[in-house]
Amino acid sequence: MTEFDYDFFVIGGGSGGVRAARVAASLGKRVGIAEEYRYGGTCVIRGCVPKKLFVYASHFSEEFEDAAGFGWRVGESHFDWQTLIANKDREVARLEGLYRKGLSNAGAEIFDSRAELVDEHRIRIISSNQIVTADKILIAVGGRVNSVDKLEGQELTISSNEAFHLENLPKSILIAGGGYIAVEFANIFHGLGVETTLIYRGPEILKNFDMDLRRTLHRTMEEKGIRILCHEVITKVVRSADARLDVTTSGGKNLKVDQVMMALGRIPNTSGLGLENAGVGTNENGAVVVDDYMRTNVENIFAVGDVTDRIQLTPVAIHEAMCVVETLFKDNPTKADHEMIATAVFSQPEIGTVGLSEDAAARKYDELEVYSATFRPMRHTLSGRQEKMITKLVVNAADRRVVGAHILGPDAGEMAQLLAIALKAGCTKDDFDRTMAVHPTAAEELVTMYQPSFRVKDGVRVE
Ligand SMILES: Cc1cc2nc3c(=O)[nH]c(=O)nc-3n(C[C@H](O)[C@H](O)[C@H](O)COP(=O)(O)OP(=O)(O)OC[C@H]3O[C@@H](n4cnc5c(N)ncnc54)[C@H](O)[C@@H]3O)c2cc1C
């Protein structure tokens, strides 16, 4: 039998890669892992974590305003961007340290280097030009920002990567994109006092989320002062004489802003990885093609997370990594389960969602019952804020199973996590009806919507 340097070599030290390497090493396997930038990957270094810290920071402006209705007089407030960046950087560095420590404590060998495939068992460590061999290989290189090469002035724009390190907070920003990253950053910058415009080529922000929530969030963001331009894209960005940016749009608008941020999705990080040397197949987007067990077309090479371009979320990458470890090292072949994945958009107000949107459910089931409540959260009776909250359950009429649950409002992400357990367990609307409310909460609406708001038959809403 060939003796390899490692039982398992992981390329990419992000959410999926670190988890797989750490757990495999803790099982006594000889594990190597290479990361070209910083351990923790997108989520920890320039994704979920720093973003959520920014989201918290951006909430305070409304908190200060809302306090007045409860009798508080808050003195003049001042926001300091440099303090936020420094504190965020410290926290990210702390987490990165924990990731490294977890790997080394488990016995994995850490390479601070880019790695590329030489063939199906050999990997080149680029920093030292060393070649190592491994029995099994995991590709966990994630994704990278999708840039628009054709855009004139592309080099003057930033992506979310740079947004985490801007030297100064811009006075105004134009964000291109309609996905959750674009929407979240629009809310972050607006909350921090930046004049914010969102531009999106589609008809409505947040494609694939429930339409009622998309429309209401859109309206609420506009009411707060965020300008949203749909059906429109940026066609040109030019540096103007006053060092600002002149932006031309496909709708013939000319905007002058301090910063332009492109958030047009993320693409698999596979170029230059040597996949062709090992014979690993990719699809037309460059994503590594895998089967239900995350195995590529090459028997000993697996891939997890964003590089497979299926569901680009941290918990999904981690789950897939755990499945690979079960399959390879615990003699327990395990498929990834991508059903009923809860997710959140950390906008203001927030979206929390699990299961099918009304439109997606209508395509799948003949008849739906939809239970929906739109109300003003109790807190806003005194804060005076006019913002509305939505709770919505989509039920398959045939068996009463709740196939989708959607919330727009404070803490919606937290609620979605708990709802996901109920929906994953296959709860019916009768289970929701039998459940006692927690009073007074906003979440109690989820168990007190007794009558359907409407039905959907053959894709059409009926009373
Ligand atoms: C702004 C932003 C906000 C996000 N917010 C959320 C959120 O709120 N919730 C959520 O669930 N998800 C969020 N995500 C998505 C989440 O970050 C990803 O889905 C997740 O990180 C994917 O994990 P991964 O292991 O596949 O890849 P990554 O975490 O991207 O890790 C891949 C790693 O591989 C390294 N690498 C690449 N090529 C090589 C190579 N050849 N050699 C060595 N190393 C290499 C990269 O440097 C990177 O560190 C967000 C993403 C972004 C960009």
Side-chain angles (χ1 to χ4, degrees), residues 257-273:
V257 291
D258 295 315
Q259 202 71 251
V260 175
M261 173 176 152
M262 310 299 280
L264 304 176
R266 294 176 62 82
I267 53 173
N269 219 347
T270 46
S271 61
L273 191 57

Side-chain angles (χ1 to χ4, degrees), residues 142-144 146 266-271 275 281-289 306-310 312:
R144 63 189 158 83
N146 182 17
R266 294 176 62 82
I267 53 173
N269 219 347
T270 46
S271 61
L275 292 175
T282 54
N283 69 12
E284 63 285 1
N285 301 324
V288 176
V289 180
D306 285 8
V307 73
T308 64
D309 200 16
R310 293 177 298 176
Q312 298 181 349

Side-chain angles (χ1 to χ4, degrees), residues 11 20 34 42 61 71 81 83 85 87 139 152 166 182 210 215 225 227 240 253 276 342 384 410 419 421 431:
I11 307 180
T42 305
S61 47
W81 173 252
T83 302
I85 296 291
N87 289 346
I139 300 166
E152 192 181 332
L166 289 175
D210 189 87
R215 288 202 185 106
R227 186 178 181 199
S240 62
K253 295 189 183 64
E276 59 295 343
L419 279 169
I421 303 170
D431 296 318

